Structures are given as structure tokens and as C-alpha cells.
Amino acid sequence: MVKIVKLEPTTQETVLRTNDNLLTGVLEQELNILPECDGRGMCSTCHVYIKEGMESLSPLNRREKRTLEAIATAQPNSRLACQARVMGEGVVIEIPSGVHVNAIDDIEALIGRRAEQNILHPLSGKVLVEAGKLITRSMISQLQETRTSVGDFLARTREA
């Protein structure tokens, strides 16, 4: 049986089968969501806010709870789209604003420009560069180091 999930603030809708995770539907809409940890609930790149219909989702598991505790912008209505499975109707989700550093193809091209939106850490969701801030060479170094260390961390967890 299919369920319709509404996405805010874009007013888009996506259709999911019962027991599909939210990530499946959100990825189809090409929004600022990444499956950086391959849907294992270990990063913040699929963090969403549930505006309505929390009761229509599967319960939080231990891994998701642990990851949400580490996300700087998590709220009581936060879920990881890779872990939240749609069980009923009426789910409305909001995608947090910002872009994860791992989604930026050419970090070097940002030098001397102002950040168009917040640039976020892929594990903690912490804002690394605020929207409107001038991006300096030292910020680029920090973003590259973050991307490398996150990549190393996720590679190690895939091996485990």
C-alpha cells in the first residue's frame, strides 16, 4: 500500500510504499540530502524534521537515538530519513536548511565568495560556515580536513 509524504518548505510530495524509509522518497526529489553513511544511521546528512505524522513512522532505534544526540540542530521532532520507515498516512517533513560539506564538488572554487547557505558538518550537522560569510583560504583548509576525516571515519565503520 502506498503513502504520500509531503516535503516542506518545497511543497513537493513523494509516494512511498508502507515500510519504505523516508530517505527513499527524499532522494527521488533531488533535495539537499545525502546517503553519506549508506543509510546506516551514522551521519547527519539525512536529518529531517517531522512537522506532522510522527506517529505514522517506525519508532526510533538505538543507533538513530545515538546519532540524533550528536547532531547540533536536532530537535524533539528530528529523525534520520534513512531510519524512519513510513507506516501510516499524514507524514510531513521539513528539510533543514544548509548544504553538507560533502555535497560540494569543488571546495576551492568557494574562496573569496560568500556562502550562499550554511555549510554543515556531515556527522554533527554543526554549521562550519554561516550563510553570507566570506569564505577564506583557511576556511577552505578546514572544510577539506573535515571532508577527509569524515570520509576516513565512514570508511572505517563500513569495514567494521
Side-chain angles (χ1 to χ4, degrees):
M1 183 174 234
V2 298
K3 310 288 188 246
I4 295 174
V5 175
K6 295 181 183 176
L7 309 171
E8 290 189 357
T10 65
T11 67
Q12 293 171 286
E13 292 184 347
T14 189
V15 177
L16 296 170
R17 292 185 316 269
T18 301
N19 210 32
D20 277 353
N21 64 36
L22 289 173
L23 183 60
T24 302
V26 175
L27 286 175
E28 289 175 4
Q29 300 301 320
E30 298 179 8
L31 301 171
N32 283 341
I33 296 280
L34 298 172
E36 199 65 37
C37 71
D38 297 326
R40 294 178 301 139
M42 300 181 75
C43 70
S44 72
T45 59
C46 72
H47 172 231
V48 296
Y49 300 112
I50 308 303
K51 303 292 278 183
E52 295 176 29
M54 185 71 88
E55 67 283 352
S56 295
L57 298 173
S58 60
L60 284 131
N61 60 42
R62 250 184 307 173
R63 175 172 284 166
E64 184 179 10
K65 284 179 188 176
R66 241 187 351 257
T67 300
L68 287 172
E69 288 170 357
I71 297 175
T73 56
Q75 311 230 336
N77 64 332
S78 288
R79 291 297 303 263
L80 297 179
C82 68
Q83 300 297 301
R85 298 195 173 280
V86 180
M87 309 308 281
E89 297 288 344
V91 177
V92 178
I93 66 172
E94 179 181 349
I95 311 297
S97 62
V99 61
H100 291 89
V101 68
N102 292 26
I104 301 169
D105 292 327
D106 186 4
I107 292 178
E108 291 282 334
L110 299 176
I111 296 174
R113 296 176 51 200
R114 296 202 178 272
E116 294 177 16
Q117 55 187 319
N118 288 341
I119 299 175
L120 309 172
H121 191 286
L123 297 179
S124 68
K126 178 183 166 202
V127 175
L128 299 172
V129 179
E130 291 179 22
K133 294 280 184 181
L134 185 64
I135 301 173
T136 64
R137 186 163 301 284
S138 64
M139 286 179 180
I140 295 296
S141 295
Q142 177 193 7
L143 294 175
Q144 288 172 328
E145 287 173 21
T146 298
R147 188 154 62 177
T148 300
S149 66
V150 167
D152 292 347
F153 170 78
L154 291 173
R156 283 192 310 274
T157 62
R158 283 184 188 108
E159 294 168 1

